[in-house]
Amino acid sequence: MSPLDPRASKMRGWLYIAWVFSFFMLAGLFAARRDRTTVSHSKLRSNWFSVSPKWLPFSLQGSDPNVIHEHPIPKLMAEAEQKFKALLAKQSKTFPQAVAEYRRRYGRNPPRGFDDWWEFATQNDVKLIDEFDAIFEDLAPFWSLSGKEFRDRAHEVRFYLTLVVILTQTRMQVGQLPSIDLVRIQDGEAIDFKVQKKFKDQEKGHRSLGFRRLVEKYQHKLPNMDFPINAKAEGRVLVPWEYQQYSNLTYQDSVDDFSPDWQGTGSVWDAYRRTCAPNTQARRLFSSYRNPNAEKPRSLLGTSNTPGESFSFVEAVDVDLDFCQYPWAHFTQGHFFSDWRTMSKLYPVLSPARANGFADIRIPSHYYHGQNSRYTYGWDPVNLEPKEIDDMEVPWDEKSDVIFWRGATTGGGSTPQGFSPNYQRHRFVRMTHDNATANYTIIHESPLNPGTFISTTVPARDLNQEIMDVAFVSAVGSYPGGETALRKAHRFADSVPLGEHWSYKYLIDLDGMGYSGRFMAFMASDSAVIKSTVYKEYFSDWVQPWLHYIPLSSSYSEIYNIYAYFSGPTDSTLRVANTTESLTADINTIRSNGDRQLRQIARAGKQWKRTMGRTVDMEAYIYRLCLEYARLWADDRDAWSFTL
Ligand SMILES: *[C@@H]1O[C@H](CO)[C@@H](O)[C@H](O)[C@H]1NC(C)=O
Ligand SMILES: *[C@@H]1O[C@H](CO)[C@@H](O)[C@H](O)[C@H]1NC(C)=O
Ligand SMILES: *[C@@H]1O[C@H](CO)[C@@H](O)[C@H](O)[C@H]1NC(C)=O
Ligand SMILES: *[C@@H]1O[C@H](CO)[C@@H](O)[C@H](O)[C@H]1NC(C)=O
């Protein structure tokens, strides 16, 4: 991009807006913090948006700036399909090819047992048989440790665990574990390493049970080793930048410092900032990143009036969002306010998801392969095998053209308190509220002049009534002003069974305390999934945004234009555009054309779940992870490598 390139100036514009926003956000939030009970909601309602470089500029053509001739969505969909087809086509067909591909990608030999793994993967028809960069990425930092150090660290986590048990018993702090379980492979069998628990552990070890379930088929081929399993949804390992650079530095925290929650001695964000390089924004004092011009363009607070924000589509979800460069963005993410203490030492901890900057090792969430009425599509309580079609599934044409979401107010803890209004779910529920005051620029195909797109500014209130069915079903955690204030500012409704979701064409999947455990169920359904997340999961390289699901930025603000593309302009949009009844036929054409494409995404998502999101794909992933882990565990890693 040259400096004269209009895209470059657009990017600078975005960065500038980001600066301005950071100022207002911080101002609003610090006000909130000072006075928790009388916090003003108008201050907290800042409309945060992403400055991820993936924003796609759209081109305005012709003399009328309100008319565009090319919608970005069909292009994104076509590119996604092409990209995924190419990925499928280039996978290794033979074992020697797979070994060569491994060497090409990672510059070393595959781990011992790779031949057995290949056998397992091909027999089970694993499609993306070369795509395991996620494992390489997650384990890369551990190569700087010797086998002994690696084993010691896995055991140290266990030591933490037993130590805290002792402390817990003596201090009578019932139920406050750091929530790391240990699965041990011993003589070809995966067992839960038992710690004497004389207190109630809230997590009940579901995640370690899930891990054991995934290794069952090949555990007899694995050597003895231990896996520390995170019992929480949140990431746990944040290694300070200096320790990442110099692995010979002696860690300053000692085991004695460890307590399961923060107890007023820090926060996830404090720990996260230390993972950032010294020259990044996150390491600077707050005052140094306030823009002195920030006071001026107050009008920018209503940025929903500018088409740029609500008409910019992301190529992928925000998993690479760099909180070190955009520290203000951390206010929008609940996991930075988690009550659970993170660990600053590079421990091997297996977690269901990993946000940028964390050092957890990804494994498939237990929600994805267990049988659970709340997380499993086609749940069958009798046969305990999910059914192909859920009993509550609805034919496409009978699904309503509505964006549906139900959930609890989970989304982060209370360390520090007072920030929950900006957690992911709270922001979305307020944005889609019937009483929302924003206006959105909706760009939709013109019924008068097909092939061109017109722009109209529509009140959020009207759009929300027409297309959003979004509500909390239960209140947990703290909120400034208490539950009364929470209920006043957010819509609440009765909870629904999972199957109720299948009555809607659009399902939105939002992060909560961590990743969203419902993703696989949503993908399995006949509805289309819109997903916003900052987490990478084991499948992140396997699923293609705009082909299998619709990616949404962390600001959510383009969601109205996503809807307008697939479902056409709503009645209120047409009213603003002065379009008359006589044009109904053309509007129906626009709507059915978009609907066909939406259905295509729903179908592709379902097909993906059936062919690449299966439990056996998760088993293949963990199998390969176990082989890599076993090599790290060994003293002589060359001996634990595979050569043809
Ligand atoms: C760590 O290693 C670096 C070079 O790799 C060296 O310069 C430094 O002195 C070492 N630090 C310690 C504490 O040993
Ligand atoms: C939305 O538009 C209406 C009508 O033009 C205007 O009165 C209102 O102030 C706008 N709201 C915002 C938040 O800009
Ligand atoms: C929404 O607006 C209506 C009408 O102005 C009002 O009765 C209702 O209390 C408002 N709801 C919330 C949650 O503010
Ligand atoms: C719709 O009609 C009103 C009143 O005639 C006019 O002010 C407005 O500009 C028109 N809107 C569009 C998008 O043409």
Side-chain angles (χ1 to χ4, degrees):
M1 251 189 239
S2 89
L4 295 175
D5 186 327
R7 279 179 307 159
S9 80
K10 186 174 166 66
M11 192 61 76
R12 279 197 304 276
W14 279 118
L15 291 174
Y16 175 65
I17 293 169
W19 286 111
V20 172
F21 253 73
S22 78
F23 176 80
F24 285 115
M25 273 212 64
L26 292 171
L29 285 161
F30 288 140
R33 204 180 166 187
R34 268 199 304 277
D35 187 355
R36 253 175 241 154
T37 46
T38 59
V39 61
S40 142
H41 285 292
S42 61
K43 272 188 179 165
L44 291 172
R45 208 185 286 114
S46 353
N47 204 347
W48 180 70
F49 57 91
S50 164
V51 286
S52 141
K54 292 191 194 97
W55 286 107
L56 298 176
F58 67 94
S59 57
L60 292 172
Q61 295 172 6
S63 53
D64 183 351
N66 288 323
V67 180
I68 64 164
H69 295 272
E70 192 190 345
H71 200 288
I73 289 183
K75 197 161 164 245
L76 286 164
M77 287 177 66
E79 282 169 2
E81 189 178 342
Q82 231 171 19
K83 202 169 153 192
F84 196 70
K85 276 186 175 157
L87 182 73
L88 267 178
K90 72 169 190 168
Q91 299 302 305
S92 295
K93 309 284 183 296
T94 66
F95 183 56
Q97 269 174 18
V99 173
E101 178 63 15
Y102 186 104
R103 286 211 196 96
R104 187 189 70 75
R105 287 187 189 218
Y106 312 127
R108 62 171 80 103
N109 283 319
R112 188 194 278 186
F114 195 63
D115 45 352
D116 287 339
W117 174 83
W118 171 264
E119 193 75 12
F120 180 86
T122 48
Q123 271 176 7
N124 288 297
D125 202 19
V126 171
K127 298 271 189 298
L128 295 171
I129 208 145
D130 294 325
E131 305 306 320
F132 291 86
D133 289 0
I135 295 176
F136 177 78
E137 241 174 68
D138 293 354
L139 295 182
F142 295 97
W143 278 85
S144 67
L145 308 176
S146 70
K148 180 173 185 315
E149 283 168 322
F150 185 72
R151 295 192 300 273
D152 283 351
R153 295 210 181 176
H155 290 145
E156 228 176 284
V157 184
R158 186 185 76 191
F159 180 50
Y160 265 176
L161 189 72
T162 44
L163 185 84
V164 172
V165 171
I166 296 160
L167 292 179
T168 308
Q169 283 166 355
T170 52
R171 288 188 200 153
M172 309 289 277
Q173 288 174 334
V174 174
Q176 294 196 328
L177 256 189
S179 295
I180 304 286
D181 291 330
L182 206 72
V183 169
R184 165 165 288 180
I185 308 280
Q186 194 164 37
D187 305 329
E189 203 186 337
I191 53 171
D192 266 329
F193 182 82
K194 288 276 181 282
V195 182
Q196 196 70 34
K197 289 182 185 176
K198 289 189 177 162
F199 53 87
K200 192 166 144 262
D201 187 357
Q202 291 168 329
E203 301 291 342
K204 297 199 187 75
H206 287 310
R207 293 181 197 272
S208 61
L209 178 70
F211 184 80
R212 285 196 288 123
R213 206 157 53 210
L214 289 181
V215 301
E216 209 164 11
K217 289 184 186 161
Y218 46 80
Q219 55 189 356
H220 57 282
K221 297 195 170 165
L222 300 177
N224 290 350
M225 53 189 165
D226 293 342
F227 294 94
I229 311 279
N230 182 3
K232 298 277 179 203
E234 297 99 324
R236 307 298 292 282
V237 188
L238 287 171
V239 180
W241 183 85
E242 285 73 12
Y243 294 135
Q244 293 176 36
Q245 307 310 305
Y246 310 107
S247 56
N248 56 356
L249 287 182
T250 311
Y251 278 84
Q252 277 160 12
D253 310 18
S254 72
V255 168
D256 299 347
D257 293 337
F258 198 85
S259 66
D261 62 24
W262 291 103
Q263 304 187 336
T265 58
S267 70
V268 176
W269 175 245
D270 286 345
Y272 190 94
R273 282 180 63 201
R274 290 194 280 271
T275 70
C276 300
N279 61 349
T280 55
Q281 294 294 336
R283 278 266 176 127
R284 295 180 191 174
L285 291 175
F286 282 151
S287 57
S288 68
Y289 66 82
R290 279 191 191 162
N291 187 315
N293 296 322
E295 318 279 350
K296 233 179 352 183
R298 176 111 204 148
S299 63
L300 280 175
L301 275 177
T303 43
S304 47
N305 288 323
T306 63
E309 186 196 348
S310 55
F311 196 67
S312 288
F313 305 94
V314 286
E315 266 179 270
V317 282
D318 278 334
V319 294
D320 295 321
L321 191 60
D322 186 351
F323 295 102
C324 294
Q325 286 307 339
Y326 304 110
W328 51 272
H330 94 270
F331 288 114
T332 65
Q333 301 298 321
H335 71 248
F336 287 116
F337 301 87
S338 167
D339 300 328
W340 303 109
R341 190 186 278 270
T342 54
M343 293 172 250
S344 61
K345 197 161 176 176
L346 182 64
Y347 286 118
V349 173
L350 279 57
S351 297
R354 186 163 76 78
N356 199 359
F358 283 76
D360 298 61
I361 301 167
R362 284 167 276 179
I363 56 171
S365 163
H366 67 305
Y367 290 128
Y368 297 156
H369 53 90
Q371 272 277 300
N372 185 316
S373 62
R374 286 169 60 209
Y375 293 94
T376 310
Y377 179 85
W379 184 62
D380 181 348
V382 181
N383 298 311
L384 297 178
E385 260 305 300
K387 296 179 191 169
E388 185 92 345
I389 307 281
D390 193 284
D391 289 343
M392 291 179 76
E393 188 54 88
V394 170
W396 181 260
D397 291 329
E398 289 168 29
K399 290 179 192 272
S400 21
D401 275 28
V402 159
I403 298 170
F404 188 76
W405 187 85
R406 288 289 183 277
T409 61
T410 45
S414 307
T415 306
Q417 279 197 354
F419 292 83
S420 54
N422 275 298
Y423 296 171
Q424 302 90 312
R425 296 177 169 194
H426 294 74
R427 281 190 286 124
F428 189 71
V429 173
R430 277 202 312 286
M431 173 179 152
T432 55
H433 196 288
D434 283 355
N435 286 16
T437 55
N439 297 305
Y440 286 94
T441 301
I442 303 299
I443 292 170
H444 61 92
E445 195 166 354
S446 163
L448 294 168
N449 193 0
T452 67
F453 293 81
I454 53 176
S455 148
T456 42
T457 300
V458 190
R461 183 177 295 135
D462 295 343
L463 291 169
N464 289 345
Q465 279 169 15
E466 290 168 322
I467 71 172
M468 295 290 179
D469 189 348
V470 172
F472 281 135
V473 296
S474 64
V476 294
S478 70
Y479 191 85
E483 196 171 327
T484 315
L486 172 72
R487 288 188 180 266
K488 194 155 181 282
H490 303 81
R491 186 182 157 211
F492 274 77
D494 290 337
S495 63
V496 295
L498 181 66
E500 181 71 21
H501 289 82
W502 322 144
S503 302
Y504 302 89
K505 284 185 183 169
Y506 298 88
L507 302 178
I508 177 148
D509 195 38
L510 300 174
D511 295 335
M513 286 293 187
Y515 71 104
S516 164
R518 285 185 283 195
F519 181 65
M520 288 291 180
F522 285 3
M523 290 296 272
S525 79
D526 289 350
S527 302
V529 181
I530 302 178
K531 185 173 179 66
S532 178
T533 186
V534 295
Y535 298 103
K536 281 186 180 173
E537 296 185 52
Y538 82 96
F539 58 76
S540 297
D541 296 337
W542 292 357
V543 69
Q544 180 65 52
W546 290 110
L547 173 62
H548 302 124
Y549 70 91
I550 301 167
L552 182 68
S553 75
S554 297
S555 77
Y556 318 132
S557 59
E558 76 274 28
I559 197 167
Y560 297 99
N561 274 305
I562 287 174
Y563 183 93
Y565 178 76
F566 290 109
S567 296
T570 65
D571 290 344
S572 67
T573 311
L574 291 174
R575 267 200 310 279
V576 177
N578 296 335
T579 309
T580 62
E581 289 294 315
S582 63
L583 292 160
T584 310
D586 296 309
I587 288 160
N588 285 343
T589 312
I590 292 170
R591 286 183 179 155
S592 68
N593 188 27
D595 188 69
R596 192 176 43 72
Q597 295 177 60
L598 183 67
R599 189 179 189 184
Q600 196 179 311
I601 291 178
R603 282 183 168 162
K606 191 180 180 86
Q607 181 64 9
W608 178 86
K609 174 70 181 80
R610 271 197 202 131
T611 55
M612 292 169 216
R614 304 164 304 166
T615 301
V616 73
D617 295 302
M618 302 176 205
E619 289 167 338
Y621 186 94
I622 292 295
Y623 192 170
R624 188 155 160 170
L625 174 69
C626 285
L627 299 181
E628 298 281 5
Y629 193 97
R631 175 162 57 179
L632 286 171
W633 192 264
D635 286 319
D636 183 353
R637 288 178 181 160
D638 286 337
W640 280 83
S641 294
F642 175 88
T643 42
L644 270 180

